[in-house]
Amino acid sequence: MRIRDILFVLLLLTSCSSHGAKEALDRAKTLLVDYPDSALMIVDAISSEDLALPSLRARHALIKTIASDRAYFDVKSDSTIRIAYDWYQNHGSDMDRLLSAYYLGIVLQNGGKDQEAAFCFLDAETFAAREASYRYQSLCEQHLGAIYAANYDRVRALSFAEKSYESALLAQDSLMAGFCQLDIVNQYIADYRFDEAEVILRQLEKANTNQSLSPFIQRALAKTRLLKSPPDFVGARACYEIIQKDSTVSLSGRDYCYLAILSEEKGEFNQAEAYSRKAYEMLESATDSVTFFDLTRMRLSLRGDYQGAYQALTKASDMIS
């Protein structure tokens, strides 16, 4: 067989295998929203030999990363998504560039690389605005707000929280808009603007038609009532009674911090210590640690243990600096 004929056969085989991979990726894409686990199984079943074309490798990498994220896998290695990101820099559509930049940002943020992630989200936000993809624009702004909040840049954190709310309204997604308002509330609380925070929460509570938002509203109300001066322990306790009645809600480390304070205020010291130990076990980040020691300061002050409160305050201050 002549070399030209051999090359023709190889090209034909590649075309056939590539066609099969393309069909599989098309199928996986349709499952991303409702069945990401199934989408992930499909893309994992595609052999590397069937991904000979760079465009297919890029599409495979993007769909695999999206499916992994939506299936709640905490992907921290950027080796897969970078295949898509690098290819779509000079190929594909603006939507491809938007998605590859956005999901690279998520992976980098998962890995604690906040600065690199922020650049990716800013890049993705630009493409989202160009595509009038307001939902992704809001998501990018939410991530940027979270990054700046974690790094104690409250001005930028609030700015992006407000932008994300505006984008969610343009996307006509009321649930997303509600969560964006909660981000604004959390920034108000961080700036001791408790009255403004409670106004938004009251509006959300009245307008809320989606029960999935309810525990988050109650959490924020409890936080506002506990941290303002003087604290409203009764009001905060009422919020947590509502939260704890909801069997679908899992308590976070911060919840246990607040429950420890409420138990302390009632004189239930053993229960307070138990909640405090639970909170400490659930710490996941430096930001949470600062919160823990700051709230421990508040709890020990209620007990009259001012030396312990001072030590907790010192630990929180050291972590911030």
Side-chain angles (χ1 to χ4, degrees), residues 12 44 52 61 120 140 155 209 252 255 280 298:
L12 184 63
D44 282 343
C120 290
C140 290
V155 174
T209 57
S252 68
D255 288 326
Y280 190 78
M298 183 176 180

Side-chain angles (χ1 to χ4, degrees), residues 5-298:
D5 294 331
I6 293 172
L7 290 174
F8 176 76
V9 171
L10 289 173
L11 181 63
L12 184 63
L13 289 172
T14 300
S15 175
C16 290
S17 62
S18 297
H19 181 70
K22 182 182 181 302
E23 286 187 338
L25 290 172
D26 286 344
R27 173 63 178 158
K29 185 179 179 181
T30 65
L31 299 172
L32 283 174
V33 175
D34 296 321
Y35 305 103
D37 290 333
S38 299
L40 195 57
M41 288 177 63
I42 291 172
V43 295
D44 282 343
I46 301 172
S47 67
S48 57
E49 290 80 7
D50 293 340
L51 298 170
L53 300 176
S55 58
L56 279 179
R57 287 198 295 273
R59 190 161 181 244
H60 176 269
L62 180 57
I63 290 175
K64 180 172 181 174
T65 304
I66 296 173
S68 298
D69 179 69
R70 292 185 177 176
Y72 300 104
F73 288 102
D74 197 15
V75 180
K76 295 180 180 179
S77 170
D78 63 354
S79 58
T80 297
I81 187 59
R82 283 226 181 251
I83 296 170
Y85 181 79
D86 292 344
W87 174 259
Y88 290 129
Q89 290 296 295
N90 299 306
H91 305 85
S93 65
D94 278 348
M95 182 56 72
D96 293 323
R97 283 181 275 280
L98 157 60
L99 291 173
S100 60
Y102 174 73
Y103 281 99
L104 176 57
I106 285 182
V107 171
L108 290 170
Q109 191 177 15
N110 287 345
K113 299 176 180 177
D114 283 355
Q115 188 172 1
E116 293 175 60
F119 283 120
C120 290
F121 289 129
L122 287 168
D123 198 18
E125 184 193 25
T126 300
F127 290 118
R130 191 180 298 174
E131 287 286 296
S133 179
Y134 300 118
R135 188 173 185 279
Y136 271 106
Q137 189 171 343
S138 180
L139 287 170
C140 290
E141 290 155 354
Q142 287 175 54
H143 281 283
L144 285 163
I147 287 171
Y148 285 118
N151 288 279
Y152 305 103
D153 187 339
R154 292 175 181 168
V155 174
R156 288 184 183 177
L158 178 58
S159 174
F160 278 110
E162 290 171 340
K163 285 181 180 179
S164 69
Y165 173 61
E166 292 168 6
S167 297
L169 291 178
L170 289 171
Q172 298 181 339
D173 189 328
S174 59
L175 182 58
M176 177 183 278
F179 279 112
C180 293
Q181 283 182 290
L182 287 171
D183 287 339
I184 294 171
V185 164
N186 284 326
Q187 292 312 309
Y188 282 168
I189 293 171
D191 285 334
Y192 305 100
R193 295 161 65 178
F194 300 117
D195 291 341
E196 291 169 84
E198 193 147 3
V199 167
I200 294 177
L201 289 168
R202 287 299 184 195
Q203 291 171 350
L204 273 173
E205 199 173 31
K206 187 177 293 186
N208 179 38
T209 57
N210 192 312
Q211 282 303 108
S212 61
L213 199 61
S214 181
F216 296 96
I217 295 172
Q218 295 303 321
R219 274 189 175 114
L221 275 170
K223 186 176 179 180
T224 302
R225 290 167 178 173
L226 269 176
L227 297 181
K228 69 182 183 180
S229 183
D232 178 5
F233 293 111
V234 174
R237 193 170 289 110
C239 292
Y240 270 106
E241 286 172 0
I242 294 171
I243 293 169
Q244 290 179 295
K245 286 178 183 176
D246 189 339
S247 60
T248 65
V249 177
S250 297
L251 296 178
S252 68
R254 293 190 183 201
D255 288 326
Y256 284 113
C257 282
Y258 295 131
L259 286 168
I261 291 171
L262 292 171
S263 296
E264 191 79 39
E265 191 270 336
K266 285 182 72 177
E268 299 170 349
F269 302 128
N270 290 337
Q271 183 64 71
E273 290 294 343
Y275 281 141
S276 186
R277 285 194 297 272
K278 187 71 174 176
Y280 190 78
E281 290 169 5
M282 296 177 71
L283 293 179
E284 293 181 352
S285 68
T287 303
D288 286 335
S289 298
V290 172
T291 301
F292 173 78
F293 287 118
D294 192 37
L295 295 177
T296 298
R297 170 198 59 76
M298 183 176 180

